[in-house]
């Protein structure tokens, strides 16, 4: 009897938001799989409410929290806001751990976000620094 195995590995693609041009195709570069999801998560975290046209509910309250005093209480609120935003708006990602470390010398927070892409075994870790811009 024949045995059939089907592997359903889904690929994710997204545009490069720097809009760099591919040297051969003369088209906008794309990101694939993990890089596309990492960029989507970063953009989602840094998007403010009412910033996306026709989708005002997408976004987080992180920018509002960055104008508060830099301490561990606000760091915990940042962690909750990031997890809540990712759970609500990014179905491809399961957050494993998140750590926000206050850095008062540089007026911001060091963030370490570890998550799993659905149907992938290895975790992805993102390190970034959140600071107020204005």
């Amino acid at each position: 009897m024949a045995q059939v195995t089907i592997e359903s590995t889904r690929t994710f693609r997204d545009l490069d938001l720097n809009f760099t041009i591919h040297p051969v195709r003369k088209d906008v570069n794309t990101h694939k799989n993990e890089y596309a999801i990492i960029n989507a998560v970063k953009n989602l975290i840094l998007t403010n409410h009412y910033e996306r046209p026709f989708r005002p509910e997408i976004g987080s309250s992180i920018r509002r929290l960055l104008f508060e005093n830099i301490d561990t209480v606000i760091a915990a609120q940042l962690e909750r806001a990031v997890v809540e935003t990712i759970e609500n708006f990014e179905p491809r990602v399961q957050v494993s751990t998140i750590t926000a470390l206050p850095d008062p010398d540089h007026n911001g927070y060091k963030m370490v976000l570890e998550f799993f892409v659905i149907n992938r075994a290895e975790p992805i870790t993102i390190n970034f620094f959140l600071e107020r811009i204005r």
Side-chain angles (χ1 to χ4, degrees), residues 22-98:
H22 192 275
V24 175
R25 294 181 320 213
K26 304 295 185 202
D27 197 7
V28 177
N29 281 332
T30 59
H31 291 292
K32 296 179 184 174
N33 295 330
E34 286 83 15
Y35 295 111
I37 293 175
I38 288 171
N39 284 336
V41 168
K42 281 184 182 178
N43 288 333
L44 183 62
I45 290 171
L46 297 175
T47 300
N48 215 7
H49 289 291
Y50 298 98
E51 202 170 292
R52 293 195 183 179
F54 308 108
R55 298 292 305 267
E57 71 277 0
I58 293 179
S60 64
S61 59
I62 289 178
R63 287 190 187 167
R64 176 183 56 85
L65 292 171
L66 291 176
F67 284 93
E68 299 292 333
N69 291 333
I70 297 175
D71 60 358
T72 56
V73 174
I74 301 300
Q77 290 179 359
L78 277 171
E79 291 173 0
R80 278 195 306 270
V82 168
V83 170
E84 182 178 298
T85 302
I86 292 173
E87 285 177 353
N88 289 338
F89 301 113
E90 187 56 70
R92 303 174 290 183
V93 171
Q94 179 71 36
V95 176
S96 173
T97 59
I98 183 167

